């Protein structure tokens, strides 16, 4: 069962403010899917960094460490050009 469905069905109130403090790195090579989910994520999270392949995502992640701007969550497609999602997360 998806996480958001579990949260919505739980008896405890869903704390949307918690998500408003998080920065996510979202990686998806399909431009249409990337755009649609970016819009959804931007309504939920403090900051959304979107990338179209694993190499771009890894560079963004490394840059975030250099400037002390932590990424809290990485959401990645698996099959992508240049570097797949599994390799990225390793």
């Amino acid at each position: 069962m998806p996480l958001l469905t579990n949260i919505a069905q739980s008896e405890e109130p869903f704390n949307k403010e918690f998500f408003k403090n998080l920065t996510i790195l979202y990686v998806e090579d399909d431009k249409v899917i990337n755009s649609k989910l970016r819009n959804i994520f931007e309504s939920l999270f403090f900051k959304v960094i979107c990338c179209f392949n694993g190499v771009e995502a890894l560079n963004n992640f490394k840059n975030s460490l250099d400037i002390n701007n932590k990424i809290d969550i990485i959401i990645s497609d698996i099959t992508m050009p240049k570097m797949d999602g599994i390799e990225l997360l390793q």
Side-chain angles (χ1 to χ4, degrees), residues 20 37-48 50:
K20 289 290 185 187
L37 283 177
R38 178 186 193 142
N39 290 335
I40 293 168
F41 291 150
E42 286 177 341
S43 71
L44 295 172
F45 298 103
F46 170 69
K47 183 175 181 183
V48 178
C50 287

Side-chain angles (χ1 to χ4, degrees), residues 25 27 54 57-58 74 76 80 83-90:
L25 175 62
V27 195
L58 185 57
I74 298 173
S76 179
M80 298 179 292
M83 178 188 295
D84 66 33
I86 301 296
E87 188 178 355
L88 166 65
L89 297 177
Q90 289 176 343

Side-chain angles (χ1 to χ4, degrees), residues 2-62:
L3 175 62
L4 291 178
T5 302
N6 285 344
I7 292 170
Q9 292 175 351
S10 73
E11 292 180 20
E12 295 180 27
F14 178 60
N15 186 350
K16 293 179 184 178
E17 291 305 310
F18 172 76
F19 290 104
K20 289 290 185 187
N21 296 312
L22 301 177
T23 296
I24 69 162
L25 175 62
Y26 171 55
V27 195
E28 170 60 66
D29 61 314
D30 184 295
K31 290 180 181 180
V32 173
I33 295 171
N34 190 307
S35 176
K36 288 185 179 193
L37 283 177
R38 178 186 193 142
N39 290 335
I40 293 168
F41 291 150
E42 286 177 341
S43 71
L44 295 172
F45 298 103
F46 170 69
K47 183 175 181 183
V48 178
I49 303 166
C50 287
C51 300
F52 292 94
N53 63 65
V55 172
E56 182 184 1
L58 185 57
N59 288 335
N60 273 281
F61 182 78
K62 287 179 179 178

